[in-house]
Amino acid sequence: MPSEELPVGPRGPGGSGESPDIGPVADGGGAGTARRRGLGPGERAVVRDALGVGIAVGLSGFAFGVTSVGAGLDVAQTCALSLLVFTGASQFALVGALAAGSNPLTAAAGAFFLGARNAFYGLRLGPLLQLPRWQRPFAAHWVIDETAAVALAQPTARTARLGFTLTGLSLFLLWNLTTSGGALGAEALGDPQEWGLDAAGPAVFLALLAPMLRTTTERLVAGVGVVLALGCLPVLPSGVPILVAAAAAPLVLLLRGRRAALDLDTGGPGPAGRGPEPGTEPCGGEVRTGAQEREEPRGGEERR
């Protein structure tokens, strides 16, 4: 509605003759206005990235279907895992442990603890997405690595919701379709590792993660996490090295906290990052050298 047609005079707030507060309609932020204006360039980029992640990672469901049937699960059990669990790393950890001859309860426990990392994603995504209460149980089923990475990479809550929803929907549909296809055609499809689909998920996740490592601390945490995961990979069961790598964050923060405390104890970083220079001392907020102190009496004698 054009601004000149808005009611003024006594019908304004308090009858002061001012125009009423038209809020989101004036700045174009209303839901109806957003729907009419369509998607902006930033939102179209979110759609492209979300669908790209969903398709790339969803195709690896073929690999899970083949691996699961090869580990001894039937088609119904394989499809039920993708439908009800829907967290690829935990699913691969479960069938990998079963294929290695582990006890089913032990394999399920390992997969459960590996999937528990999604709860930490939920703590971060909850305030960001701001979903209605009735939607949260359904959205929780889609809280996985890929949806969290896409959502957390967005600058606004609107684009975060868009990225989360499109990534979750496309990945959920394609993952379950390819799982069933892989399970049904396990013998015809052969070894999924020959396709390289098992590397699609980690590759996409790294591509999303790299632009988010903006500070030295973030890069250091990522590097230490990689070292811990690769170091534990030959000696720990599948999935456990990822949990060990999570210790990189508190370890790096602890070391940087001790370094900051040491800087405070030594008077803070000086010009060379080592506190005040030798031969100087703080005095009234100023740093005075020994030469300056020796010159002061001569200045006092001149004044007398």
Side-chain angles (χ1 to χ4, degrees):
M1 180 183 297
S3 58
E4 62 268 22
E5 297 180 8
L6 292 173
V8 294
R11 287 177 292 179
S16 61
E18 299 175 352
S19 298
D21 183 11
I22 56 176
V25 177
D27 61 15
T33 303
R35 284 192 294 267
R36 287 194 299 270
R37 67 179 173 84
L39 297 176
E43 293 164 341
R44 287 195 293 269
V46 174
V47 172
R48 181 191 63 234
D49 294 343
L51 293 179
V53 171
I55 293 172
V57 180
L59 290 174
S60 60
F62 279 119
F64 173 72
V66 174
T67 304
S68 179
V69 172
L73 278 69
D74 58 30
V75 174
Q77 291 170 330
T78 299
C79 293
L81 273 177
S82 285
L83 185 66
L84 301 176
V85 178
F86 188 55
T87 173
S90 295
Q91 293 176 229
F92 275 109
L94 174 62
V95 299
L98 292 176
S102 298
N103 182 283
L105 292 179
T106 303
F112 172 80
F113 286 114
L114 180 57
R117 72 191 187 282
N118 295 332
F120 296 98
Y121 293 151
L123 294 176
R124 180 66 182 89
L125 289 173
L128 175 64
L129 299 179
Q130 299 178 0
L131 296 175
R133 188 177 298 273
W134 67 270
Q135 293 181 6
R136 294 174 188 173
F138 302 99
H141 193 50
W142 287 357
V143 176
I144 55 176
D145 297 332
E146 292 77 15
T147 55
V150 173
L152 293 174
Q154 307 311 318
T156 66
R158 173 181 168 80
T159 53
R161 286 192 295 268
L162 180 63
F164 176 86
T165 303
L166 289 179
T167 305
L169 180 61
S170 59
L171 183 52
F172 183 78
L173 292 177
L174 193 55
W175 176 264
N176 281 279
L177 287 174
T178 54
T179 294
S180 59
L184 291 171
E187 295 183 0
L189 292 172
D191 187 1
Q193 293 187 357
E194 295 180 357
W195 309 350
L197 292 177
D198 54 331
V204 170
F205 188 73
L206 287 176
L208 290 169
L209 179 63
M212 301 175 65
L213 303 178
R214 300 184 179 93
T215 66
T216 303
T217 301
E218 292 169 348
R219 297 189 189 100
L220 190 58
V221 169
V224 174
V226 169
V227 172
L228 290 176
L230 293 179
C232 296
L233 193 60
V235 296
L236 294 179
S238 176
V240 178
I242 298 178
L243 297 178
V244 175
L251 179 62
V252 170
L253 293 177
L254 177 63
L255 293 177
R256 290 185 70 88
R258 288 186 175 181
R259 180 178 177 182
L262 182 61
D263 288 340
L264 290 176
D265 291 341
T266 57
R274 298 184 301 272
E277 289 295 319
T280 65
E281 60 178 359
C283 180
E286 298 178 355
V287 176
R288 302 171 60 189
T289 64
Q292 291 174 329
E293 292 179 350
R294 288 191 297 271
E295 292 175 357
E296 185 175 353
R298 291 197 297 269
E301 294 173 358
E302 292 176 0
R303 284 193 297 270
R304 290 196 295 271

